[in-house]
Amino acid sequence: MYNKLQYISQGNTIEEQLYNIHEALDNGCDWIQMRFKNQSVKNSFALAEAVKFLCEEYLANFIINDNVYLAQQIAADGVHLGLLDTKIEEARATLGNTKIIGGTANTFEDILNHIQNGCDYVGLGPLRFTKTKEKLSPILGYEGYYEILQKLKANHLEIPIYAIGGIIIDDIDKLIEIGIYGVAVSGVITKSSEKGKLITQLNEKLYANVII
């Protein structure tokens, strides 16, 4: 079973990224997606190497955003691919069957393609406007999630769906009710002055009805 809470890293420098990731791990987040855009190969590798060490120390999953080659080079747990990034099947051919491959989706058709191409989980969104992404797909809102998840159910399709895009703690109960598997968050954790309390509350809500 995958962790229901993913932290997508933020920070313009290696130091900022490491600080934010360490804070998330230290306060109970067990899944890190390293997102470090428009950086040199040297900086990306240096950060990935440090984050891998941290994730191993905290027994957390380490996923690299977009960069299949870096994920292979650093032996990360997997990769997350946007709609315009490397194709899922190409990433699978490179990384093999033991690595986690996630894909971004905005429509039912996106999810269908991901399932057919061997994706392990889907980040579906955005829920609402977010400054984290430069090129934002059409906003889904609760209604969009509901319609897509109902269509998946009607077609007997199953894959873990994570809500993404501007999510706050007050959204969790409604998203779980709609049928979302988990959430991938960024700014809400990065900007929190009480990360431990926030991550605990997020996990409690996400795992409230899970039988272990």
Side-chain angles (χ1 to χ4, degrees):
M1 186 173 75
Y2 294 139
N3 301 92
K4 289 178 174 284
L5 177 64
Q6 299 184 11
Y7 172 63
I8 303 172
S9 70
Q10 287 185 307
N12 296 318
T13 65
I14 292 174
E15 291 74 23
E16 285 176 9
Q17 284 268 340
L18 278 177
Y19 176 80
N20 290 331
I21 289 167
H22 202 169
E23 285 280 290
L25 288 166
D26 210 31
N27 285 288
C29 193
D30 297 325
W31 183 299
I32 302 295
Q33 183 190 137
M34 189 190 99
R35 191 172 187 272
F36 199 36
K37 292 286 193 180
N38 307 317
Q39 297 291 327
S40 67
V41 172
K42 183 182 175 183
N43 281 356
S44 296
F45 184 87
L47 177 61
E49 202 170 35
V51 176
K52 186 188 179 193
F53 178 81
L54 276 176
C55 286
E56 285 175 350
E57 187 182 341
Y58 283 88
L59 303 178
N61 281 318
F62 175 36
I63 305 296
I64 292 178
N65 183 276
D66 292 359
N67 197 328
V68 176
Y69 174 71
L70 181 58
Q72 182 189 39
Q73 195 179 23
I74 210 82
D77 294 311
V79 69
H80 183 94
L81 302 170
L83 287 168
L84 301 177
D85 298 325
T86 308
K87 288 184 167 56
I88 300 291
E89 58 268 37
E90 289 175 20
R92 181 64 71 200
T94 301
L95 297 176
N97 293 325
T98 61
K99 298 298 182 180
I100 300 167
I101 297 179
T104 300
N106 180 245
T107 65
F108 171 75
E109 288 71 28
D110 291 337
I111 298 174
L112 193 58
N113 285 334
H114 286 335
I115 291 172
Q116 289 170 346
N117 291 318
C119 199
D120 294 306
Y121 74 87
V122 169
L124 178 64
L127 171 63
R128 60 173 61 87
F129 177 78
T130 173
K131 291 179 180 177
T132 305
K133 289 203 77 171
E134 291 175 10
K135 296 175 183 175
L136 206 62
S137 296
I139 306 297
L140 290 177
Y142 293 138
E143 298 81 8
Y145 281 113
Y146 179 79
E147 287 172 15
I148 291 171
L149 267 80
Q150 286 301 307
K151 202 177 265 192
L152 284 170
K153 191 182 283 187
N155 285 275
H156 307 290
L157 296 169
E158 287 187 17
I159 190 169
I161 303 287
Y162 289 81
I164 56 174
I167 290 159
I168 58 174
I169 194 159
D170 292 341
D171 296 317
I172 306 299
D173 290 341
K174 182 68 176 174
L175 289 170
I176 294 294
E177 186 185 320
I178 289 169
I180 289 294
Y181 176 83
V183 296
V185 296
S186 197
V188 70
I189 288 178
T190 305
K191 295 169 187 171
S192 174
S193 58
E194 295 184 293
K195 290 181 176 64
K197 183 179 177 183
L198 173 66
I199 291 170
T200 297
Q201 289 176 336
L202 285 167
N203 277 320
E204 283 175 351
K205 284 177 176 290
L206 289 166
Y207 288 95
N209 298 312
V210 175
I211 299 169
I212 299 173

